[in-house]
Amino acid sequence: MQEILAWSASLLTGEEPDDMDGAKESLAGYRSTMRGVRPETSAHAAEAEETAALVSRVEKWIASGVEAEHIGIAVRFVQFGRDIAGALERAGIAACVLGAGRSGPGVRIGTMHRMKGLDFRCVTVAGVNDGTVPVKAAVAPVDVHAQQHQDGVNSELSLMFVACTQAREALRVSWHGDPGPFLAPVTGPCP
């Protein structure tokens, strides 16, 4: 969908997403012929608040007719995914944390790496906090090795882009605390 693609590509280019009013069909060599709603961002003070809002969003998608298996939740770390699965299950929504041969009914939850190659009608990329996306361990300090630093940033940015583009109809990106720096094109700089 053009809106998801434009929004996600803005993470790569560092530019604000185009509002698509000019019927522009390509962006940096990427194409999508479908149109839909603009991706949603959701800021929260704490992890519990982010998780509760995510459960509410999933409930709304399901109430609108989206089957739970067509909803994906991408996280940077599997433990946050497990916490989200627990919150969904307490709300009466089946959830399946992907990995280690696991499968079952419900909302699909996986790390950003695990979500590669999958697609869903609706996707939430959760926990896109400063210090988590990009994960500090993946990015060498620039003063230690500039090229290694840039390679790490590019790798983490590509991972975020892939997670966002797994959505066919609706994308929601959330964080608690300060947003990760990759979100600056869509949230503005952190105060």
Side-chain angles (χ1 to χ4, degrees), residues 28-90:
Y30 301 99
R31 295 187 184 278
S32 177
T33 58
M34 298 176 68
R35 299 291 306 243
V37 297
R38 183 176 175 89
E40 163 188 349
T41 57
S42 186
H44 305 281
E47 183 178 313
E49 182 184 316
E50 179 182 8
T51 301
L54 189 155
V55 169
S56 177
R57 168 46 69 202
V58 169
E59 288 172 332
K60 289 176 185 171
W61 280 333
I62 291 171
S64 74
V66 178
E67 293 179 30
E69 290 77 13
H70 296 180
I71 298 171
I73 299 173
V75 294
R76 190 63 179 90
F77 300 113
V78 72
Q79 185 56 54
F80 188 36
R82 289 183 188 124
D83 295 344
I84 291 168
L88 288 167
E89 288 167 355
R90 285 188 296 281

Side-chain angles (χ1 to χ4, degrees), residues 50 112 125-130 132-133 160 173-175 178-180 183:
E50 179 182 8
M112 292 179 182
V125 182
V128 186
N129 320 322
D130 188 30
T132 302
V133 179
M160 176 73 182
V173 176
S174 64
W175 62 92
D178 291 329
L183 295 178

